[in-house]
């Protein structure tokens, strides 16, 4: 059974940093590109970052480019999202998902940026 | 960037009614490899999104066959043949041909 477990969210002040994790199981993590997608309260889905299976390429949405960094540790089946210079508009539920077709989603981790 | 326009934004249906949701892309989603990377997801209230349809018309694992997808190029449709109570939620189309973008969503309400 595929499982994706996100963690690391919380309440932080504007300008702060936070690092999210996504632990994967039930599939060959090292063979899949991985995405981070977020959803602001009462809003739609927004793709924010992609990392290739071997970390050779990384892509970001303009809204987070230069502030967020996606990475992975295939030996730990874990995906990361390092978030710096957080803004109120980064408040959202953050999900990880594998592959081009996002066949599986975790339960998400909530990030709240507020003073 | 590719923009996906979903219509309608809100859909109200009775149990057993058949409904359709449209997703129109600002660019063709036919990839150079011959695939069209268009997907449909359902997000039930309080839950994570779940994939219903992949590559335009393929039913996801465990998805009831009352759901079907069709279309090509820039115009795509999700059809529910006989809405059930458990189908309420927000439906999103997504394309992965040109980076990855989501439509704005269609909320299905049960009358």
């Amino acid at each position: 059974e595929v499982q994706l477990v996100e963690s690391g969210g919380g309440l932080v002040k504007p300008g702060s940093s936070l690092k999210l994790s996504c632990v994967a199981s039930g599939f060959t993590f090292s063979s899949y590109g991985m995405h981070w997608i977020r959803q602001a309260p009462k809003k739609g889905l927004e793709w924010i970052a992609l990392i290739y299976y071997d970390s050779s390429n990384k892509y970001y949405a303009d809204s987070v480019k230069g502030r967020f960094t996606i990475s992975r540790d295939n030996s730990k089946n874990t995906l990361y999202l390092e978030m710096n210079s957080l803004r109120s508009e980064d408040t959202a539920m953050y999900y990880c998902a594998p592959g081009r077709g996002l066949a599986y989603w975790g339960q998400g981790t909530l990030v709240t940026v507020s003073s | 960037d590719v923009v996906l326009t979903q219509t309608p934004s809100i859909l109200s249906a009775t149990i057993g009614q058949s409904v359709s949701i449209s997703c129109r892309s600002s660019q063709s989603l036919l990839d150079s490899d011959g695939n069209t990377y268009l997907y449909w997801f359902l997000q039930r209230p309080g839950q994570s999104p779940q994939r219903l349809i992949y590559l335009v018309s393929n039913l996801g694992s465990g998805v009831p066959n009352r759901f079907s997808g069709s279309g090509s190029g820039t115009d795509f449709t999700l059809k529910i043949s006989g809405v059930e109570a458990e189908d309420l939620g927000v439906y999103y189309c997504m394309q992965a041909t040109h980076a990855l973008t989501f439509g704005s969503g269609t909320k299905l309400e049960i009358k």
Side-chain angles (χ1 to χ4, degrees), chain A residues 6 35 37 39 43-47 62 95 99-108, chain B residues 1 31 33 37 39 41 43 47-51 92 94 96-97 99-100 102-104:
Chain A
E6 302 94 338
H35 301 266
I37 298 113
Q39 185 172 36
K43 299 293 185 183
L45 301 167
E46 179 190 17
W47 170 83
D62 288 344
Y95 300 98
R100 200 166 183 175
L102 310 186
Y104 304 99
W105 296 62
Q107 84 291 345
Chain B
D1 289 3
D31 195 28
D33 65 5
Y37 294 95
Y39 305 82
F41 296 84
Q43 187 173 30
Q47 296 187 17
S48 304
Q50 133 187 37
R51 195 176 76 175
Y92 295 94
M94 182 201 83
T97 300
L100 199 155
F102 291 92
S104 55

Side-chain angles (χ1 to χ4, degrees), chain A residues 27-75:
Chain A
F27 66 102
T28 307
F29 178 76
S30 59
S31 296
Y32 287 85
M34 292 293 297
H35 301 266
W36 284 102
I37 298 113
R38 70 183 179 183
Q39 185 172 36
K42 304 293 187 184
K43 299 293 185 183
L45 301 167
E46 179 190 17
W47 170 83
I48 56 171
L50 160 66
I51 185 168
Y52 277 21
Y53 71 99
D54 59 357
S55 302
S56 59
N57 287 285
K58 302 175 185 181
Y59 300 93
Y60 301 93
D62 288 344
S63 57
V64 305
K65 200 174 295 182
R67 299 188 300 122
F68 290 11
T69 302
I70 189 171
S71 62
R72 66 191 295 160
D73 185 337
N74 286 343
S75 69

Side-chain angles (χ1 to χ4, degrees), chain B residues 33-108:
Chain B
D33 65 5
N35 288 317
T36 299
Y37 294 95
L38 188 284
Y39 305 82
W40 290 95
F41 296 84
L42 165 60
Q43 187 173 30
R44 295 187 174 98
Q47 296 187 17
S48 304
Q50 133 187 37
R51 195 176 76 175
L52 299 174
I53 300 286
Y54 64 96
L55 299 177
V56 180
S57 60
N58 296 278
L59 210 58
S61 175
V63 176
N65 60 12
R66 63 180 178 273
F67 291 95
S68 62
S70 63
S72 63
T74 60
D75 287 351
F76 302 92
T77 301
L78 174 71
K79 183 176 181 180
I80 311 173
S81 300
V83 167
E84 297 192 5
E86 66 180 20
D87 299 338
L88 74 91
V90 181
Y91 291 79
Y92 295 94
C93 57
M94 182 201 83
Q95 69 81 23
T97 300
H98 311 282
L100 199 155
T101 51
F102 291 92
S104 55
T106 295
K107 184 176 183 179
L108 176 62

